[in-house]
Amino acid sequence: MSSFENLRVVDNFYQTSLFFPMPTVVISTLCEDGTTTLGPYSLVQPYYVAGKDYYAMLLSCRNSSNTAQNILRSGKCAINFVDDKPKTFKECVKLSWPGDKPEDKMPNCKFKLEPGQAEGSRPMVLTDAIQVIECTWVRELDNAQNDQPGQLNGYEGPYHDFNGITSKFGAHFILKVDKILMKKQYADAIINGVKAKDFPSLPVDYGYRDSKNFWFHRKTRMRAELLPIRKQSLESVRYAADRADDKVKFTDDALEMILNVPRVFLPLVLKGCVEWARENNCELVTAKEMQIINDKRAKEKNKK
């Protein structure tokens, strides 16, 4: 006998058949007249996170929404992460009614806007956002470059699999990450080391569940759980290092500095070390050179 009940899978199953925690963000896009409009969303997530020439987010939305129509037109948007104050969430809900036109809802919007930092014609970003991702839609993926705005009563097929117009009423957008903007106190925490008190107060919502309310909860005290220490042996790291390059070699004291790198990331770290060594005409990486490489990596992280 199962301990679970079997719920029917229906449209918007993540809201109606599940308790599914999601972020609450406000996406800003450009209207035809160049003004910025806002729409709250939860169906956003990282998409390309490593191993590509760029990083990307994924947005799922109605293809008739202001957001979708504007992305189809301009290819630009900004994902604004707001705080979890009840008045902020109330403003998000106020902006969320399907069919409201920008000229109707934006005059009453209480969110303040300012220019972002990415190049080109862009939507404004929320001044009070905790962090912002400025994005460009990657049109050419899945041959979606010919998708155009204008169909507000649904699109006819054929449909794309994962980018652009993906169903009669749906759209998915793979959004290249152009800039990550963050308020200084949180940026400093990421750079210098995050403690429990440093986490921003971001809301988590459970979607439109009962035809009456949007439900969300505020951040509570963060709890830290120590990662298991899985220090690799010097011999295993030496095995990988000896095969990283035919000319660049590593001393034991250099390899001891990367013993805590998870095995899955070790080849990438060694590749970076080899590239630095080649650029600097170095054929033997010692602890001294490894420290220089680590310092260089830390400076590059601080610039991003």
Side-chain angles (χ1 to χ4, degrees), residues 198-257:
D198 296 321
F199 281 84
S201 296
L202 299 174
V204 174
D205 74 71
Y206 286 86
Y208 190 69
R209 301 196 59 83
D210 58 9
S211 74
K212 181 181 178 181
N213 297 307
F214 273 99
W215 295 86
F216 81 106
H217 71 73
R218 306 181 70 182
K219 190 201 83 169
T220 56
R221 186 175 184 275
M222 300 299 291
R223 172 187 169 89
E225 190 68 35
L226 287 174
L227 291 168
I229 302 299
R230 297 183 180 180
K231 194 171 184 178
Q232 301 184 79
S233 68
L234 181 60
E235 290 75 15
S236 64
V237 177
R238 165 64 63 196
Y239 181 87
D242 287 345
R243 287 156 181 77
D245 190 75
D246 59 343
K247 292 184 178 179
V248 177
K249 301 302 176 185
F250 297 80
T251 62
D252 286 350
D253 56 356
L255 296 181
E256 286 174 354
M257 297 176 68

Short mmCIF file of all heavy atoms in Angstrom, two decimals, residues 198-257:
data_model
loop_
_atom_site.label_atom_id
_atom_site.label_comp_id
_atom_site.label_asym_id
_atom_site.label_seq_id
_atom_site.Cartn_x
_atom_site.Cartn_y
_atom_site.Cartn_z
N ASP A 198 24.28 37.49 5.77
CA ASP A 198 24.51 38.20 4.52
C ASP A 198 23.49 37.86 3.43
O ASP A 198 23.42 38.56 2.41
CB ASP A 198 25.92 37.91 3.99
CG ASP A 198 27.00 38.42 4.92
OD1 ASP A 198 26.82 39.51 5.47
OD2 ASP A 198 28.02 37.72 5.08
N PHE A 199 22.72 36.79 3.60
CA PHE A 199 21.79 36.40 2.55
C PHE A 199 20.67 37.42 2.43
O PHE A 199 20.08 37.84 3.43
CB PHE A 199 21.20 35.02 2.84
CG PHE A 199 22.13 33.89 2.49
CD1 PHE A 199 23.11 33.47 3.39
CD2 PHE A 199 22.04 33.24 1.27
CE1 PHE A 199 23.97 32.44 3.09
CE2 PHE A 199 22.89 32.20 0.95
CZ PHE A 199 23.87 31.80 1.86
N PRO A 200 20.35 37.83 1.21
CA PRO A 200 19.26 38.80 1.04
C PRO A 200 17.90 38.17 1.32
O PRO A 200 17.73 36.95 1.25
CB PRO A 200 19.38 39.20 -0.44
CG PRO A 200 20.01 38.01 -1.10
CD PRO A 200 20.97 37.45 -0.08
N SER A 201 16.93 39.01 1.63
CA SER A 201 15.57 38.55 1.91
C SER A 201 14.81 38.45 0.60
O SER A 201 14.20 39.41 0.13
CB SER A 201 14.88 39.52 2.86
OG SER A 201 15.53 39.53 4.11
N LEU A 202 14.86 37.26 -0.02
CA LEU A 202 14.17 37.02 -1.28
C LEU A 202 12.92 36.18 -1.03
O LEU A 202 12.97 35.22 -0.26
CB LEU A 202 15.10 36.28 -2.26
CG LEU A 202 16.38 37.00 -2.65
CD1 LEU A 202 17.26 36.09 -3.50
CD2 LEU A 202 16.07 38.29 -3.41
N PRO A 203 11.81 36.51 -1.68
CA PRO A 203 10.58 35.75 -1.46
C PRO A 203 10.56 34.44 -2.24
O PRO A 203 11.20 34.31 -3.28
CB PRO A 203 9.50 36.69 -1.97
CG PRO A 203 10.19 37.47 -3.05
CD PRO A 203 11.61 37.64 -2.59
N VAL A 204 9.82 33.49 -1.72
CA VAL A 204 9.54 32.24 -2.43
C VAL A 204 8.02 32.12 -2.53
O VAL A 204 7.33 32.29 -1.53
CB VAL A 204 10.11 31.02 -1.68
CG1 VAL A 204 9.67 29.72 -2.36
CG2 VAL A 204 11.63 31.08 -1.63
N ASP A 205 7.50 31.88 -3.74
CA ASP A 205 6.06 31.78 -3.89
C ASP A 205 5.65 30.39 -4.34
O ASP A 205 6.45 29.61 -4.83
CB ASP A 205 5.53 32.85 -4.84
CG ASP A 205 5.84 32.56 -6.30
OD1 ASP A 205 5.24 31.63 -6.87
OD2 ASP A 205 6.67 33.28 -6.89
N TYR A 206 4.38 30.10 -4.16
CA TYR A 206 3.82 28.80 -4.52
C TYR A 206 2.74 28.93 -5.60
O TYR A 206 1.95 28.03 -5.82
CB TYR A 206 3.23 28.12 -3.28
CG TYR A 206 4.29 27.58 -2.36
CD1 TYR A 206 4.87 28.40 -1.41
CD2 TYR A 206 4.72 26.27 -2.45
CE1 TYR A 206 5.86 27.92 -0.56
CE2 TYR A 206 5.71 25.78 -1.61
CZ TYR A 206 6.27 26.61 -0.67
OH TYR A 206 7.25 26.13 0.17
N GLY A 207 2.74 30.07 -6.29
CA GLY A 207 1.87 30.20 -7.44
C GLY A 207 0.43 30.52 -7.10
O GLY A 207 0.04 30.71 -5.95
N TYR A 208 -0.37 30.55 -8.12
CA TYR A 208 -1.78 30.91 -8.03
C TYR A 208 -2.57 29.64 -7.77
O TYR A 208 -2.87 28.88 -8.67
CB TYR A 208 -2.20 31.57 -9.34
CG TYR A 208 -3.56 32.22 -9.33
CD1 TYR A 208 -3.79 33.37 -8.58
CD2 TYR A 208 -4.59 31.69 -10.08
CE1 TYR A 208 -5.03 33.98 -8.60
CE2 TYR A 208 -5.84 32.30 -10.11
CZ TYR A 208 -6.04 33.45 -9.37
OH TYR A 208 -7.28 34.06 -9.38
N ARG A 209 -2.92 29.37 -6.50
CA ARG A 209 -3.37 28.05 -6.13
C ARG A 209 -4.89 27.91 -5.98
O ARG A 209 -5.43 26.83 -6.16
CB ARG A 209 -2.72 27.62 -4.82
CG ARG A 209 -1.21 27.58 -4.88
CD ARG A 209 -0.67 26.79 -3.72
NE ARG A 209 -1.18 25.43 -3.72
CZ ARG A 209 -0.68 24.43 -4.43
NH1 ARG A 209 0.34 24.65 -5.22
NH2 ARG A 209 -1.21 23.22 -4.37
N ASP A 210 -5.58 28.96 -5.60
CA ASP A 210 -6.98 28.75 -5.25
C ASP A 210 -7.93 29.76 -5.90
O ASP A 210 -9.01 30.02 -5.38
CB ASP A 210 -7.16 28.77 -3.73
CG ASP A 210 -6.67 30.08 -3.11
OD1 ASP A 210 -6.36 31.01 -3.86
OD2 ASP A 210 -6.62 30.15 -1.87
N SER A 211 -7.55 30.33 -7.01
CA SER A 211 -8.34 31.30 -7.77
C SER A 211 -8.61 32.58 -6.98
O SER A 211 -9.41 33.42 -7.40
CB SER A 211 -9.68 30.69 -8.23
OG SER A 211 -10.60 30.57 -7.15
N LYS A 212 -7.95 32.74 -5.86
CA LYS A 212 -8.16 33.93 -5.04
C LYS A 212 -6.86 34.58 -4.60
O LYS A 212 -6.74 35.80 -4.63
CB LYS A 212 -8.99 33.57 -3.81
CG LYS A 212 -9.30 34.74 -2.90
CD LYS A 212 -10.13 34.30 -1.70
CE LYS A 212 -10.39 35.47 -0.76
NZ LYS A 212 -11.16 35.05 0.44
N ASN A 213 -5.88 33.78 -4.19
CA ASN A 213 -4.66 34.32 -3.58
C ASN A 213 -3.40 33.84 -4.28
O ASN A 213 -3.34 32.72 -4.78
CB ASN A 213 -4.58 33.90 -2.11
CG ASN A 213 -5.71 34.44 -1.28
OD1 ASN A 213 -5.96 35.64 -1.28
ND2 ASN A 213 -6.42 33.56 -0.58
N PHE A 214 -2.40 34.71 -4.27
CA PHE A 214 -1.02 34.27 -4.49
C PHE A 214 -0.43 34.05 -3.10
O PHE A 214 -0.61 34.88 -2.21
CB PHE A 214 -0.21 35.34 -5.22
CG PHE A 214 -0.29 35.27 -6.72
CD1 PHE A 214 -1.14 36.10 -7.41
CD2 PHE A 214 0.48 34.37 -7.42
CE1 PHE A 214 -1.22 36.04 -8.79
CE2 PHE A 214 0.41 34.30 -8.80
CZ PHE A 214 -0.44 35.14 -9.49
N TRP A 215 0.28 32.96 -2.95
CA TRP A 215 0.87 32.63 -1.66
C TRP A 215 2.39 32.73 -1.75
O TRP A 215 3.00 32.26 -2.69
CB TRP A 215 0.48 31.21 -1.24
CG TRP A 215 -0.98 31.04 -1.00
CD1 TRP A 215 -1.94 30.75 -1.92
CD2 TRP A 215 -1.65 31.15 0.25
NE1 TRP A 215 -3.17 30.67 -1.34
CE2 TRP A 215 -3.02 30.91 0.01
CE3 TRP A 215 -1.23 31.42 1.55
CZ2 TRP A 215 -3.98 30.93 1.02
CZ3 TRP A 215 -2.19 31.44 2.55
CH2 TRP A 215 -3.54 31.20 2.29
N PHE A 216 2.99 33.34 -0.74
CA PHE A 216 4.45 33.43 -0.70
C PHE A 216 4.90 33.39 0.75
O PHE A 216 4.09 33.58 1.67
CB PHE A 216 4.93 34.71 -1.38
CG PHE A 216 4.85 35.96 -0.53
CD1 PHE A 216 6.01 36.51 0.00
CD2 PHE A 216 3.64 36.57 -0.26
CE1 PHE A 216 5.94 37.67 0.78
CE2 PHE A 216 3.56 37.71 0.52
CZ PHE A 216 4.72 38.26 1.04
N HIS A 217 6.18 33.14 0.94
CA HIS A 217 6.70 33.26 2.30
C HIS A 217 8.01 34.03 2.30
O HIS A 217 8.73 34.07 1.31
CB HIS A 217 6.84 31.91 3.01
CG HIS A 217 7.92 31.01 2.50
ND1 HIS A 217 9.26 31.24 2.73
CD2 HIS A 217 7.87 29.85 1.80
CE1 HIS A 217 9.97 30.27 2.19
NE2 HIS A 217 9.16 29.42 1.61
N ARG A 218 8.28 34.64 3.43
CA ARG A 218 9.47 35.47 3.59
C ARG A 218 10.64 34.62 4.06
O ARG A 218 10.47 33.53 4.60
CB ARG A 218 9.19 36.60 4.58
CG ARG A 218 7.95 37.41 4.21
CD ARG A 218 7.71 38.53 5.20
NE ARG A 218 8.73 39.57 5.07
CZ ARG A 218 8.78 40.66 5.84
NH1 ARG A 218 7.88 40.82 6.80
NH2 ARG A 218 9.72 41.57 5.66
N LYS A 219 11.82 35.17 3.87
CA LYS A 219 13.03 34.45 4.29
C LYS A 219 13.07 34.34 5.80
O LYS A 219 12.77 35.30 6.53
CB LYS A 219 14.27 35.20 3.79
CG LYS A 219 15.57 34.42 3.97
CD LYS A 219 16.79 35.32 3.96
CE LYS A 219 17.01 35.91 5.34
NZ LYS A 219 18.31 36.59 5.47
N THR A 220 13.42 33.17 6.28
CA THR A 220 13.67 32.99 7.70
C THR A 220 15.18 32.87 7.90
O THR A 220 15.96 33.03 6.98
CB THR A 220 12.96 31.73 8.22
OG1 THR A 220 13.38 30.60 7.45
CG2 THR A 220 11.45 31.88 8.10
N ARG A 221 15.57 32.56 9.10
CA ARG A 221 17.00 32.48 9.42
C ARG A 221 17.67 31.38 8.59
O ARG A 221 17.18 30.26 8.51
CB ARG A 221 17.20 32.20 10.91
CG ARG A 221 18.64 32.25 11.36
CD ARG A 221 18.72 32.09 12.87
NE ARG A 221 20.08 32.22 13.34
CZ ARG A 221 20.96 31.22 13.37
NH1 ARG A 221 20.58 30.02 12.96
NH2 ARG A 221 22.19 31.41 13.81
N MET A 222 18.79 31.72 7.96
CA MET A 222 19.51 30.76 7.14
C MET A 222 20.23 29.74 8.02
O MET A 222 20.75 30.08 9.09
CB MET A 222 20.52 31.47 6.24
CG MET A 222 19.90 32.47 5.28
SD MET A 222 18.73 31.72 4.12
CE MET A 222 19.85 30.77 3.10
N ARG A 223 20.27 28.52 7.55
CA ARG A 223 20.96 27.46 8.27
C ARG A 223 22.10 26.93 7.41
O ARG A 223 21.92 26.66 6.21
CB ARG A 223 19.99 26.31 8.58
CG ARG A 223 20.65 25.07 9.15
CD ARG A 223 19.66 23.92 9.29
NE ARG A 223 20.37 22.67 9.59
CZ ARG A 223 20.64 22.27 10.82
NH1 ARG A 223 20.28 23.00 11.85
NH2 ARG A 223 21.26 21.12 11.03
N ALA A 224 23.26 26.81 7.97
CA ALA A 224 24.42 26.30 7.25
C ALA A 224 24.64 24.83 7.59
O ALA A 224 24.52 24.42 8.74
CB ALA A 224 25.67 27.10 7.62
N GLU A 225 24.94 24.05 6.57
CA GLU A 225 25.27 22.64 6.75
C GLU A 225 26.64 22.41 6.12
O GLU A 225 26.85 22.67 4.94
CB GLU A 225 24.22 21.75 6.08
CG GLU A 225 24.35 20.27 6.42
CD GLU A 225 24.03 19.98 7.87
OE1 GLU A 225 23.13 20.64 8.44
OE2 GLU A 225 24.67 19.08 8.45
N LEU A 226 27.59 21.96 6.93
CA LEU A 226 28.96 21.80 6.44
C LEU A 226 29.03 20.76 5.33
O LEU A 226 28.40 19.71 5.39
CB LEU A 226 29.89 21.38 7.59
CG LEU A 226 30.23 22.47 8.61
CD1 LEU A 226 31.05 21.86 9.75
CD2 LEU A 226 31.00 23.60 7.96
N LEU A 227 29.81 21.11 4.30
CA LEU A 227 30.05 20.16 3.23
C LEU A 227 30.98 19.05 3.71
O LEU A 227 31.87 19.30 4.54
CB LEU A 227 30.71 20.86 2.03
CG LEU A 227 29.84 21.84 1.25
CD1 LEU A 227 30.71 22.67 0.31
CD2 LEU A 227 28.78 21.09 0.48
N PRO A 228 30.81 17.84 3.23
CA PRO A 228 31.74 16.77 3.59
C PRO A 228 33.11 17.05 2.99
O PRO A 228 33.23 17.51 1.86
CB PRO A 228 31.11 15.52 2.98
CG PRO A 228 30.27 16.03 1.87
CD PRO A 228 29.76 17.36 2.32
N ILE A 229 34.14 16.82 3.76
CA ILE A 229 35.51 17.00 3.28
C ILE A 229 35.94 15.73 2.56
O ILE A 229 36.00 14.66 3.15
CB ILE A 229 36.48 17.31 4.43
CG1 ILE A 229 36.01 18.57 5.17
CG2 ILE A 229 37.89 17.49 3.91
CD1 ILE A 229 35.96 19.81 4.31
N ARG A 230 36.21 15.89 1.28
CA ARG A 230 36.65 14.75 0.48
C ARG A 230 37.97 15.12 -0.21
O ARG A 230 38.03 15.36 -1.40
CB ARG A 230 35.60 14.37 -0.56
CG ARG A 230 34.29 13.90 0.06
CD ARG A 230 33.30 13.46 -0.98
NE ARG A 230 32.05 13.01 -0.38
CZ ARG A 230 31.01 12.57 -1.07
NH1 ARG A 230 31.07 12.55 -2.39
NH2 ARG A 230 29.90 12.18 -0.46
N LYS A 231 38.98 15.17 0.58
CA LYS A 231 40.28 15.57 0.07
C LYS A 231 40.87 14.45 -0.78
O LYS A 231 40.96 13.30 -0.36
CB LYS A 231 41.22 15.88 1.25
CG LYS A 231 42.48 16.61 0.86
CD LYS A 231 43.23 17.07 2.10
CE LYS A 231 44.46 17.88 1.73
NZ LYS A 231 45.17 18.36 2.94
N GLN A 232 41.24 14.82 -2.00
CA GLN A 232 41.82 13.83 -2.88
C GLN A 232 43.26 13.54 -2.47
O GLN A 232 43.93 14.34 -1.84
CB GLN A 232 41.79 14.33 -4.33
CG GLN A 232 40.40 14.65 -4.84
CD GLN A 232 40.43 15.04 -6.30
OE1 GLN A 232 40.52 14.19 -7.17
NE2 GLN A 232 40.36 16.33 -6.56
N SER A 233 43.73 12.40 -2.85
CA SER A 233 45.13 12.07 -2.57
C SER A 233 46.02 12.80 -3.57
O SER A 233 45.61 13.12 -4.69
CB SER A 233 45.34 10.56 -2.69
OG SER A 233 45.21 10.14 -4.03
N LEU A 234 47.25 13.05 -3.14
CA LEU A 234 48.21 13.69 -4.03
C LEU A 234 48.45 12.84 -5.27
O LEU A 234 48.61 13.35 -6.37
CB LEU A 234 49.53 13.94 -3.28
CG LEU A 234 50.64 14.64 -4.08
CD1 LEU A 234 50.18 16.00 -4.56
CD2 LEU A 234 51.90 14.77 -3.23
N GLU A 235 48.40 11.53 -5.10
CA GLU A 235 48.65 10.64 -6.23
C GLU A 235 47.56 10.77 -7.30
O GLU A 235 47.85 10.78 -8.50
CB GLU A 235 48.70 9.18 -5.74
CG GLU A 235 49.93 8.84 -4.90
CD GLU A 235 49.84 9.40 -3.49
OE1 GLU A 235 48.72 9.79 -3.07
OE2 GLU A 235 50.89 9.47 -2.82
N SER A 236 46.30 10.92 -6.87
CA SER A 236 45.22 11.04 -7.85
C SER A 236 45.29 12.36 -8.61
O SER A 236 45.02 12.42 -9.81
CB SER A 236 43.86 10.90 -7.16
OG SER A 236 43.64 11.96 -6.24
N VAL A 237 45.67 13.43 -7.89
CA VAL A 237 45.80 14.73 -8.55
C VAL A 237 47.02 14.72 -9.47
O VAL A 237 46.98 15.25 -10.58
CB VAL A 237 45.90 15.87 -7.52
CG1 VAL A 237 46.11 17.21 -8.20
CG2 VAL A 237 44.66 15.91 -6.65
N ARG A 238 48.09 14.07 -9.03
CA ARG A 238 49.29 13.93 -9.86
C ARG A 238 48.97 13.18 -11.15
O ARG A 238 49.44 13.56 -12.23
CB ARG A 238 50.38 13.21 -9.06
CG ARG A 238 51.55 12.66 -9.87
CD ARG A 238 52.36 13.76 -10.53
NE ARG A 238 52.97 14.63 -9.54
CZ ARG A 238 53.47 15.84 -9.84
NH1 ARG A 238 53.37 16.29 -11.08
NH2 ARG A 238 54.02 16.58 -8.91
N TYR A 239 48.15 12.16 -11.06
CA TYR A 239 47.78 11.37 -12.24
C TYR A 239 47.11 12.27 -13.28
O TYR A 239 47.41 12.20 -14.48
CB TYR A 239 46.83 10.25 -11.83
CG TYR A 239 46.42 9.35 -12.97
CD1 TYR A 239 47.19 8.25 -13.34
CD2 TYR A 239 45.23 9.59 -13.65
CE1 TYR A 239 46.81 7.42 -14.38
CE2 TYR A 239 44.84 8.77 -14.70
CZ TYR A 239 45.63 7.68 -15.07
OH TYR A 239 45.25 6.86 -16.11
N ALA A 240 46.19 13.15 -12.82
CA ALA A 240 45.49 14.04 -13.74
C ALA A 240 46.42 15.14 -14.26
O ALA A 240 46.38 15.50 -15.44
CB ALA A 240 44.28 14.66 -13.05
N ALA A 241 47.28 15.65 -13.38
CA ALA A 241 48.17 16.74 -13.77
C ALA A 241 49.19 16.29 -14.81
O ALA A 241 49.52 17.04 -15.75
CB ALA A 241 48.89 17.29 -12.54
N ASP A 242 49.70 15.09 -14.68
CA ASP A 242 50.70 14.59 -15.63
C ASP A 242 50.12 14.41 -17.02
O ASP A 242 50.87 14.33 -18.01
CB ASP A 242 51.27 13.26 -15.14
CG ASP A 242 52.20 13.44 -13.96
OD1 ASP A 242 52.62 14.60 -13.71
OD2 ASP A 242 52.50 12.45 -13.27
N ARG A 243 48.82 14.35 -17.13
CA ARG A 243 48.17 14.16 -18.42
C ARG A 243 47.52 15.44 -18.94
O ARG A 243 46.88 15.43 -19.99
CB ARG A 243 47.12 13.04 -18.31
CG ARG A 243 47.78 11.68 -18.21
CD ARG A 243 46.89 10.66 -17.54
NE ARG A 243 47.57 9.35 -17.45
CZ ARG A 243 48.51 9.07 -16.58
NH1 ARG A 243 48.89 9.99 -15.69
NH2 ARG A 243 49.11 7.88 -16.57
N ALA A 244 47.68 16.54 -18.20
CA ALA A 244 47.07 17.80 -18.60
C ALA A 244 47.80 18.45 -19.76
O ALA A 244 47.20 19.13 -20.59
CB ALA A 244 47.01 18.77 -17.42
N ASP A 245 49.13 18.24 -19.83
CA ASP A 245 49.92 18.85 -20.91
C ASP A 245 51.23 18.09 -21.05
O ASP A 245 51.75 17.54 -20.07
CB ASP A 245 50.20 20.33 -20.60
CG ASP A 245 50.80 21.06 -21.78
OD1 ASP A 245 50.05 21.37 -22.73
OD2 ASP A 245 52.01 21.32 -21.75
N ASP A 246 51.77 18.07 -22.26
CA ASP A 246 53.01 17.31 -22.49
C ASP A 246 54.25 18.08 -22.07
O ASP A 246 55.33 17.49 -21.91
CB ASP A 246 53.12 16.90 -23.96
CG ASP A 246 53.11 18.10 -24.90
OD1 ASP A 246 52.70 19.20 -24.47
OD2 ASP A 246 53.49 17.93 -26.07
N LYS A 247 54.12 19.41 -21.85
CA LYS A 247 55.29 20.21 -21.49
C LYS A 247 55.18 20.80 -20.09
O LYS A 247 56.16 20.80 -19.33
CB LYS A 247 55.51 21.33 -22.51
CG LYS A 247 55.94 20.83 -23.89
CD LYS A 247 56.22 22.00 -24.81
CE LYS A 247 56.69 21.52 -26.19
NZ LYS A 247 56.95 22.64 -27.11
N VAL A 248 54.02 21.34 -19.76
CA VAL A 248 53.84 21.98 -18.45
C VAL A 248 53.69 20.92 -17.37
O VAL A 248 52.83 20.04 -17.45
CB VAL A 248 52.60 22.90 -18.46
CG1 VAL A 248 52.38 23.51 -17.07
CG2 VAL A 248 52.74 23.99 -19.51
N LYS A 249 54.54 21.01 -16.35
CA LYS A 249 54.50 20.06 -15.24
C LYS A 249 54.27 20.77 -13.91
O LYS A 249 54.43 21.99 -13.81
CB LYS A 249 55.82 19.26 -15.19
CG LYS A 249 56.11 18.48 -16.49
CD LYS A 249 54.98 17.50 -16.80
CE LYS A 249 55.21 16.78 -18.13
NZ LYS A 249 54.05 15.92 -18.49
N PHE A 250 53.92 20.02 -12.88
CA PHE A 250 53.56 20.58 -11.58
C PHE A 250 54.38 19.92 -10.48
O PHE A 250 54.59 18.70 -10.49
CB PHE A 250 52.08 20.35 -11.29
CG PHE A 250 51.14 21.03 -12.25
CD1 PHE A 250 50.86 20.47 -13.50
CD2 PHE A 250 50.52 22.24 -11.91
CE1 PHE A 250 49.98 21.09 -14.38
CE2 PHE A 250 49.64 22.86 -12.79
CZ PHE A 250 49.37 22.28 -14.02
N THR A 251 54.82 20.73 -9.52
CA THR A 251 55.49 20.17 -8.34
C THR A 251 54.45 19.70 -7.34
O THR A 251 53.28 20.08 -7.41
CB THR A 251 56.40 21.23 -7.68
OG1 THR A 251 55.59 22.33 -7.24
CG2 THR A 251 57.45 21.73 -8.67
N ASP A 252 54.89 18.89 -6.37
CA ASP A 252 53.95 18.38 -5.38
C ASP A 252 53.33 19.50 -4.56
O ASP A 252 52.13 19.48 -4.26
CB ASP A 252 54.67 17.40 -4.44
CG ASP A 252 54.95 16.06 -5.10
OD1 ASP A 252 54.42 15.84 -6.21
OD2 ASP A 252 55.68 15.25 -4.51
N ASP A 253 54.13 20.51 -4.19
CA ASP A 253 53.59 21.59 -3.36
C ASP A 253 52.55 22.40 -4.12
O ASP A 253 51.62 22.96 -3.52
CB ASP A 253 54.69 22.49 -2.81
CG ASP A 253 55.58 23.10 -3.89
OD1 ASP A 253 55.39 22.77 -5.07
OD2 ASP A 253 56.46 23.91 -3.54
N ALA A 254 52.66 22.47 -5.45
CA ALA A 254 51.65 23.16 -6.25
C ALA A 254 50.35 22.36 -6.25
O ALA A 254 49.26 22.91 -6.08
CB ALA A 254 52.16 23.37 -7.68
N LEU A 255 50.48 21.05 -6.43
CA LEU A 255 49.28 20.21 -6.49
C LEU A 255 48.58 20.11 -5.14
O LEU A 255 47.37 19.94 -5.08
CB LEU A 255 49.66 18.81 -6.99
CG LEU A 255 50.20 18.75 -8.42
CD1 LEU A 255 50.51 17.31 -8.81
CD2 LEU A 255 49.21 19.35 -9.41
N GLU A 256 49.34 20.24 -4.06
CA GLU A 256 48.72 20.22 -2.73
C GLU A 256 47.75 21.37 -2.54
O GLU A 256 46.82 21.29 -1.72
CB GLU A 256 49.80 20.25 -1.66
CG GLU A 256 50.56 18.92 -1.52
CD GLU A 256 51.72 19.02 -0.56
OE1 GLU A 256 52.00 20.14 -0.08
OE2 GLU A 256 52.36 17.98 -0.27
N MET A 257 47.94 22.45 -3.31
CA MET A 257 47.08 23.62 -3.19
C MET A 257 45.72 23.42 -3.86
O MET A 257 44.81 24.25 -3.71
CB MET A 257 47.79 24.84 -3.76
CG MET A 257 49.06 25.22 -3.02
SD MET A 257 49.97 26.59 -3.76
CE MET A 257 48.83 27.96 -3.46
#
